[in-house]
Amino acid sequence: MSAQDSDWFEPLYADALAQGDPGQIPWALMEVTPYLQDWLEQAAPESTGRSAVVVACGLGDDAEALANYGFEVTAFDISATAIAWCQQRFPNSSVHYQVADLFQLPPDWRYRFDLVYDFRTIQALPVDIRPEVIEQIAALAAPGGTALIATYIRQSETPPDSAPWPLTLAELAHFEALGLEVVRQDRFVNRDSRFRDRVRVEYRVPQAVGTASR
Ligand SMILES: C[S@@+](CC[C@H](N)C(=O)[O-])C[C@H]1O[C@@H](n2cnc3c(N)ncnc32)[C@H](O)[C@@H]1O
């Protein structure tokens, strides 16, 4: 992991906020991600008294949806501007928004959350650190918990020259190599996007922790 891998996000958010224009952030939907909304309506586990963490939460819409569903939500991003913007957008939110680097997370977050949710962070970081990124995300999940990962996928072995770098299914399978079990996998196609193919995978995190892989 090199600092440069994540350095470009903060200036992009800062410029967009300075101009009051979230439209400058290519990934900002300004509403809950349909893949999360659909899962909450159809498949989400009990939320009462349960914690959730939103990895690299961007402008916060997914974190808010999880909080509205009943989870006690922590949401983090490496961009201080993104986090400030979340707090500005949702002043009465129950979400604990926090600036944090996925590679230097507070130690007490390890194995802590009942639900770990990520949309489009893995693909935003270079392919050569992909296993490490997946390991950091997986390590947030408590034993017996759930990880919900939604991402763009690519068919070609060769990644694009610039971000984002959609995942191959083989790269995504690193979650299983770490011991997480697939509960359900749903594929989606967005014909309006140059990143047509997407997948959402719900994993169950094994009860036994402390194995070599976790
Ligand atoms: C493509 S955006 C996705 C944001 C949000 N998850 C979404 O889908 O709208 C990637 C996010 O990862 C954040 N990020 C990049 N590197 C990070 C790191 N090392 N730790 C935490 N967040 C990071 C960026 O600031 C950005 O908000």
Side-chain angles (χ1 to χ4, degrees):
M1 165 71 188
S2 136
Q4 289 159 343
D5 297 335
S6 295
D7 275 358
W8 59 277
F9 292 97
E10 171 57 22
L12 194 150
Y13 280 114
D15 284 352
L17 182 59
Q19 295 178 41
D21 180 12
Q24 293 188 14
I25 301 166
W27 52 85
L29 300 177
M30 307 306 276
E31 61 184 15
V32 59
T33 305
Y35 312 124
L36 174 61
Q37 183 63 34
D38 172 69
W39 184 77
L40 286 173
E41 287 168 8
Q42 295 186 31
E46 175 61 41
S47 60
T48 310
R50 300 223 167 141
S51 59
V53 64
V54 179
V55 175
C57 62
L59 295 186
D61 296 274
D62 290 348
E64 293 299 317
L66 285 163
N68 290 337
Y69 187 79
F71 286 101
E72 183 181 320
V73 179
T74 297
F76 70 92
D77 200 287
I78 200 166
S79 164
T81 299
I83 292 301
W85 204 339
C86 292
Q87 290 163 335
Q88 184 181 311
R89 290 185 69 208
F90 307 108
N92 302 314
S93 174
S94 65
V95 175
H96 307 285
Y97 286 108
Q98 196 162 323
V99 179
D101 180 348
L102 180 63
F103 294 92
Q104 295 183 54
L105 293 176
D108 64 339
W109 286 12
R110 220 170 157 74
Y111 309 146
R112 169 164 151 196
F113 297 95
D114 298 312
L115 173 66
V116 176
Y117 168 71
D118 180 57
F119 183 43
R120 300 188 293 185
T121 306
I122 306 168
Q123 66 187 50
L125 293 166
V127 173
D128 62 341
I129 58 166
R130 194 138 282 176
E132 206 182 335
V133 173
I134 290 175
E135 284 156 27
Q136 295 300 322
I137 293 173
L140 287 161
T146 296
L148 184 71
I149 308 297
T151 185
Y152 302 166
I153 51 173
R154 71 177 203 274
Q155 313 297 339
S156 160
E157 276 303 309
T158 312
D161 291 335
S162 59
W165 299 278
L167 281 71
T168 63
L169 291 176
E171 289 166 2
L172 187 62
H174 194 58
F175 280 104
E176 290 166 76
L178 295 173
L180 280 68
E181 298 157 11
V182 175
V183 175
R184 54 182 286 172
Q185 176 171 314
D186 298 293
R187 300 279 290 269
F188 304 91
V189 174
N190 183 340
R191 294 183 198 286
D192 298 330
S193 168
R194 69 188 167 111
F195 304 110
R196 281 172 39 109
D197 299 311
R198 292 107 190 271
V199 67
R200 177 186 63 202
V201 188
E202 176 184 332
Y203 298 96
R204 197 184 75 80
V205 180
Q207 286 289 349
V209 290
T211 60
S213 58
R214 288 199 85 227

